[in-house]
Amino acid sequence: MTSREILTIQLGHYSNFIGAHWWNLQETNFSYNTDNPSEINHDVLYREGANLKKQVTYTPRLLLVDLKGAFGYLKEEGTLYDTSDCEKAQQFLWDDKKVEVSKEETVTKTAFIRNLDESCETSEATCLNLENEVNSWVDYLVPKFHPRTLNTIRQYKLDCATCPFDIFTYGRNLWNTEQFSDDFSEKIRAYIEECDSPQGFQVILDSEDGFAGLGASCMQYLRDEYRKSILSFPCMESKKTEASMSTMTKVLNTALCFQNMEEHASLYSPLCCSEAWPQVGDSRIFDHLTYNSELKYHSSALLATALDTLTIRYRRKEYPNVVLSDLCADLNKLGRKAAATSLTLPFPMTAKADLIDVLDDFEGTLWTSLTPNCHIPMDKNMQSIVLRGIPEERLKRPIAHAMKQMSKPAYRCSTVHEMMMLYLACTCHASATYLSTITSPLNIKPPYPKIFNNVTETGDVIGWPVGTDVKSVPVMAGLHSGSSLGATYESLHDQLNRIRNIKKFHAFTESGLEEDEFKECLDYLLDCKENYEDQYI
């Protein structure tokens, strides 16, 4: 089977929170049962290798970047490849009495990570307090990484008040240094040369700080060097803050980030668990979830769930010829490179009900937007939707027990895919939909946060509290391109337009941002807003 490999790149602390959950979910959903093999081709995002002891390794095809101090107990070279012998050999190259040694403070591991190290079953006690224990994404990271995966920006320290990495041009300037760009581009090349038939890149990046500039420069390099599809997800935290100069700094960073992705990415979708941004508003409401959107450990889990589901379109074994470029081509028509991300968690399958009845009784919008300042309607969209976790036996009742179901037009449908397409055709006016379905649900294990309400162990929705933990849930997620994205651009333009004089933002101008570049960014946002208005459809 041709894997059509993809390289994933994560840039920024919050993006790595999302990535940690995403890779956790993928490893949780590996299937080792030969009688029930996985419907997902994990080779698209993972690589097989061998460590120094000739043991087979299976690690994410991943490059991630974060600031100094963010990696905690993780060694930059990883733990799969034991380098202790090499280190001992190097000791003979110099006189250890003449070497000055500096040591970092020892980082305490969470109970969950200590439990993983001991290769024990994760107990209830080790997971109850993760909300209070998690300070960084490494505190709940399950998979092991390849030695080239972790990359530290040593010039800047995490949460440093005196020298923060908070300006778009800081990131752009960092990429232009030979020390960083040569090393990082060499790692990209090494990954790509291992692939038989690479199809492109997934880039998750923080859009509010210096990682926006770093990501923009990285995507420009990817486009110029490899000419492959680039699907990008600029991410914003949903932590409420008071209006200040730092808020306007985030607005300018995000606007410059969007402008560059419009030029270099094939498709991009802004992600945030808040309804509005940059003045963070109410958190997105999910009927059967209770979560804290200001807690990165919670909000990143929702965004990771959406990413893991919507990317199944180009990771299924059943259709290996459906690739990332197809998704981008479907949604970036008419110069519209932005798309909104939706999530339905869990998909509302009520206990003892069939899909035909659930869809017939459902009222309102089937999905919740995860793109700020954007409500995704049910009509006038180009959309790619993935539904997972509805087995064919939950489709409808047999004829002998069908009763009222037989009077419904959907009873003629013989598969979940066929019935869902009929529902979307009837409810999504003037929309073009590509639907992907798999029968396996999303398996849930620690350290995924405990945020489900009135949901059974197998993901069915019921009307009363349940005492057991959720083990699996059906999920739907999608990407939507339509006029609703105009509101996102309009909101960002209105915020950016409040900056009357860019020279007041000394950090930007002193690090290379020109006034003409700022004005060009303002015009770009207005052009994009107009491009998404209905008369352009």
Side-chain angles (χ1 to χ4, degrees):
M1 177 188 295
T2 302
S3 295
R4 303 302 302 269
E5 302 92 346
I6 290 176
L7 173 61
T8 303
I9 299 175
Q10 296 167 197
L11 305 170
H13 196 56
Y14 187 56
S15 294
N16 288 326
F17 264 84
I18 298 169
H21 275 301
W22 189 6
W23 300 110
N24 288 351
L25 285 173
Q26 292 196 57
E27 299 221 353
T28 299
N29 287 270
F30 282 168
S31 177
Y32 301 98
N33 185 353
T34 55
D35 297 328
N36 185 28
S38 174
E39 298 170 84
I40 298 173
N41 181 9
H42 296 290
D43 292 338
V44 174
L45 301 184
Y46 277 72
R47 65 179 295 279
E48 185 176 308
N51 63 16
L52 299 178
K53 297 179 181 179
K54 306 300 182 181
Q55 297 170 324
V56 175
T57 61
Y58 199 57
T59 55
R61 190 177 297 105
L62 170 67
L63 288 171
L64 64 83
V65 183
D66 214 328
L67 303 180
K68 183 180 179 181
F71 294 94
Y73 64 89
L74 280 184
K75 297 180 179 179
E76 190 163 347
E77 66 273 13
T79 56
L80 286 176
Y81 295 74
D82 186 5
T83 59
S84 57
D85 292 338
C86 297
E87 293 173 353
K88 290 178 181 177
Q90 290 175 350
Q91 291 178 0
F92 296 103
L93 299 178
W94 54 75
D95 185 354
D96 57 1
K97 295 180 180 179
K98 298 180 180 181
V99 174
E100 183 178 341
V101 178
S102 60
K103 292 184 179 181
E104 296 283 346
E105 293 182 8
T106 303
V107 179
T108 303
K109 298 181 180 180
T110 61
F112 177 79
I113 297 299
R114 292 197 302 270
N115 185 267
L116 285 180
D117 292 343
E118 295 167 3
S119 301
C120 298
E121 285 289 327
T122 303
S123 65
E124 185 77 12
T126 60
C127 305
L128 283 176
N129 297 319
L130 270 180
E131 282 79 2
N132 300 322
E133 289 192 6
V134 169
N135 295 310
S136 178
W137 50 273
V138 301
D139 292 333
Y140 59 90
L141 180 70
V142 174
K144 304 294 185 181
F145 287 150
H146 188 274
R148 71 171 74 107
T149 290
L150 302 179
N151 299 271
T152 306
I153 298 177
R154 304 190 187 281
Q155 298 93 320
Y156 297 91
K157 191 172 183 179
L158 183 67
D159 297 329
C160 179
T162 57
C163 186
F165 189 60
D166 62 344
I167 303 297
F168 178 90
T169 39
Y170 289 177
R172 188 168 64 184
N173 294 341
L174 176 65
W175 179 270
N176 291 332
T177 61
E178 291 185 8
Q179 181 180 4
F180 183 90
S181 62
D182 288 355
D183 180 63
F184 200 73
S185 57
E186 175 62 24
K187 291 181 178 181
I188 294 174
R189 183 197 62 77
Y191 269 128
I192 296 301
E193 288 185 352
E194 291 175 349
C195 300
D196 294 328
S197 182
Q199 59 172 303
F201 305 89
Q202 297 171 154
V203 181
I204 312 170
L205 71 157
D206 293 1
S207 72
E208 301 176 307
D209 53 27
F211 286 102
L214 185 66
S217 298
C218 178
M219 282 186 281
Q220 181 179 4
Y221 167 80
L222 295 176
R223 188 203 62 174
D224 294 343
E225 187 72 18
Y226 295 101
R227 300 289 177 180
K228 301 290 184 179
S229 297
I230 303 172
L231 176 59
S232 179
F233 296 95
C235 304
M236 290 152 271
E237 290 188 45
S238 48
K239 185 177 182 180
K240 293 183 179 180
T241 55
E242 297 295 330
S244 62
M245 284 289 286
S246 63
T247 303
M248 296 310 299
T249 297
K250 292 179 180 180
V251 170
L252 183 51
N253 286 331
T254 300
L256 292 168
C257 180
F258 283 16
Q259 181 186 16
N260 278 269
M261 282 189 289
E262 185 77 23
E263 181 177 356
H264 306 309
S266 306
L267 186 73
Y268 70 96
S269 181
L271 297 179
C272 185
C273 281
S274 175
E275 292 184 0
W277 187 93
Q279 291 300 311
V280 175
D282 296 332
S283 58
R284 295 290 186 182
I285 297 175
F286 293 81
D287 290 338
H288 307 290
L289 303 182
T290 299
Y291 72 102
N292 182 356
S293 64
E294 295 195 37
L295 200 62
K296 287 184 281 191
Y297 168 62
H298 278 190
S299 62
S300 60
L302 296 184
L303 302 183
T305 302
L307 293 183
D308 185 64
T309 301
L310 66 86
T311 57
I312 287 175
R313 167 173 172 171
Y314 50 83
R315 295 192 288 131
R316 288 179 299 169
K317 289 180 179 178
E318 186 177 4
Y319 299 104
N321 293 325
V322 177
V323 292
L324 178 58
S325 59
D326 296 335
L327 169 64
C328 298
D330 285 351
L331 299 184
N332 61 11
K333 306 293 185 184
L334 305 175
R336 296 176 170 181
K337 286 195 175 183
T341 296
S342 69
L343 177 65
T344 308
L345 178 69
F347 188 86
M349 290 295 291
T350 52
K352 300 181 180 179
D354 300 308
L355 180 62
I356 188 172
D357 295 321
V358 170
L359 295 177
D360 194 53
D361 296 339
F362 192 86
E363 296 180 358
T365 304
L366 191 56
W367 43 67
T368 300
S369 174
L370 290 178
T371 296
N373 300 303
C374 179
H375 170 74
I376 307 172
M378 293 285 284
D379 55 5
K380 297 182 181 179
N381 283 316
M382 303 287 290
Q383 53 196 21
S384 173
I385 296 173
V386 177
L387 173 64
R388 66 178 304 172
I390 312 295
E392 299 296 340
E393 54 266 25
R394 295 288 299 274
L395 181 66
K396 59 185 181 181
R397 298 175 190 170
I399 293 178
H401 303 93
M403 296 183 288
K404 293 182 180 181
Q405 287 185 359
M406 292 189 66
S407 63
K408 300 174 183 179
Y411 192 80
R412 300 175 184 175
C413 299
S414 56
T415 64
V416 169
H417 185 277
E418 186 180 356
M419 186 176 291
M420 197 66 201
M421 279 300 295
L422 176 61
Y423 175 81
L424 294 172
C426 294
T427 56
C428 298
H429 173 69
S431 292
T433 303
Y434 186 102
L435 175 67
S436 308
T437 57
I438 62 174
T439 59
S440 58
L442 182 73
N443 292 322
I444 301 292
K445 291 182 181 178
Y448 197 91
K450 298 181 180 182
I451 54 178
F452 294 96
N453 289 332
N454 302 348
V455 178
T456 67
E457 184 176 303
T458 56
D460 284 341
V461 174
I462 57 178
W464 56 88
V466 183
T468 57
D469 290 336
V470 176
K471 299 295 176 60
S472 64
V473 288
V475 184
M476 186 172 74
L479 289 170
H480 312 256
S481 177
S483 59
S484 58
L485 269 299
T488 301
Y489 285 111
E490 183 176 18
S491 173
L492 191 55
H493 175 272
D494 291 345
Q495 292 289 334
L496 191 63
N497 201 35
R498 294 167 58 189
I499 300 177
R500 299 304 180 187
N501 188 354
I502 188 62
K503 293 181 180 179
K504 292 183 178 180
F505 290 78
H506 305 291
F508 283 93
T509 56
E510 291 173 0
S511 56
L513 184 68
E514 301 289 343
E515 188 169 356
D516 289 345
E517 192 176 354
F518 168 71
K519 292 179 179 179
E520 183 182 333
C521 184
L522 265 174
D523 294 339
Y524 149 77
L525 292 174
L526 202 57
D527 290 342
C528 286
K529 178 251 181 184
E530 294 175 351
N531 193 32
Y532 280 88
E533 292 177 353
D534 283 338
Q535 60 260 36
Y536 285 81
I537 295 179

